[in-house]
Amino acid sequence: MPAVDQTAIQAQLKRFQYHMRWLSGRLAGVGAIKIVAIGSSTTAGEGDIVPYPQRLERALRASFPGRNFDVLNRGVGGEEAPDELRRIQGDVLGEKPSVVVWQVGTNAVWKNQDLDATAGAIQRGLAIFANELMDVVLMDLQYVPAVLTPPMEERAHRMVALIETAASRAGFPVNVFHRFALMKQWHEAERISFDRMVDPTDPDRLHHSDWSARRMAEALANTIAIAATVGS
């Protein structure tokens, strides 16, 4: 695999705004730590690319030797927040996780869905999570050609902003994993081509490549580890 251009500026991870108190408490105890990942194809997996939840589990186990993390994949390809809202009770709350990672927004942009309706569904989902004993992470869009064409790019930026607003208005700590901004840094600062970032078998130029799925999962694991052990 080609090395990252060492003359380029390395992408900088944006730390979570809030300390992950529930995960921190579980790390102080014993036993397996359960995380639920809910979302669409980024979560479920697409083609032959290993999805990020499996990679996140491995990365967290490597970050915390001797601790057993179980990352449950509750992704369904093609869904968006209004669909996932109907699955929250069974797929998330029923599992009683310490952390939920909710990946949202891409299909609303890509499928030309109502962005305000998507934001409303995210807000209703966060209201359901509000009184649960778990940390909540929203993952925003991927930065890929499919959502960066002239008709799509404005919608993509608006969806990113709506996700940030939903988190800030939740009334309890909700962290955002800024995937869109991170991938933009890979492309613009590290000079990583879209050919490397996007699945080469995907004609829509929408889905993660093996390289970017791995790197995204590692970045998420690092961000979670910092938020659980150091705080913001």
Side-chain angles (χ1 to χ4, degrees), residues 115-228:
L115 301 188
D116 291 315
T118 300
I122 295 169
Q123 291 170 342
R124 292 194 296 277
L126 294 178
I128 294 171
F129 293 148
N131 297 315
E132 299 296 323
L133 306 182
M134 63 185 186
D135 297 303
V136 177
V137 177
L138 291 178
M139 179 190 295
D140 67 14
L141 287 62
Q142 60 260 49
Y143 184 85
V144 289
V147 297
L148 296 174
T149 58
M152 293 285 184
E153 187 171 10
E154 183 178 350
R155 286 171 53 80
H157 283 279
R158 183 162 180 262
M159 191 71 250
V160 168
L162 287 170
I163 292 168
E164 186 76 26
T165 298
S168 68
R169 293 180 178 175
F172 70 103
V174 175
N175 286 306
V176 178
F177 181 67
H178 297 93
R179 175 170 54 147
F180 191 84
L182 178 64
M183 294 182 71
K184 184 177 181 181
Q185 284 192 66
W186 294 346
H187 184 61
E188 295 186 352
E190 293 191 9
R191 306 171 191 169
I192 304 298
S193 71
F194 283 126
D195 286 341
R196 190 175 181 194
M197 290 168 57
V198 176
D199 180 357
T201 68
D202 178 13
D204 294 323
R205 306 281 280 165
L206 178 66
H207 297 103
H208 282 277
S209 67
D210 183 77
W211 179 89
S212 64
R214 173 183 58 79
R215 186 139 184 226
M216 186 266 285
E218 290 171 352
L220 178 57
N222 289 340
T223 310
I224 286 173
I226 291 169

Side-chain angles (χ1 to χ4, degrees), residues 2 27-29 44 49 55 60-61 76 94 139 154 156 168 204 208 219 229:
L27 286 168
I49 306 301
R55 300 171 190 263
L60 287 172
R61 290 183 180 189
V76 176
M139 179 190 295
E154 183 178 350
S168 68
D204 294 323
H208 282 277
T229 56

Side-chain angles (χ1 to χ4, degrees), residues 52-64:
Y52 92 83
Q54 185 174 330
R55 300 171 190 263
L56 176 63
E57 180 176 289
R58 289 199 301 261
L60 287 172
R61 290 183 180 189
S63 294
F64 298 96

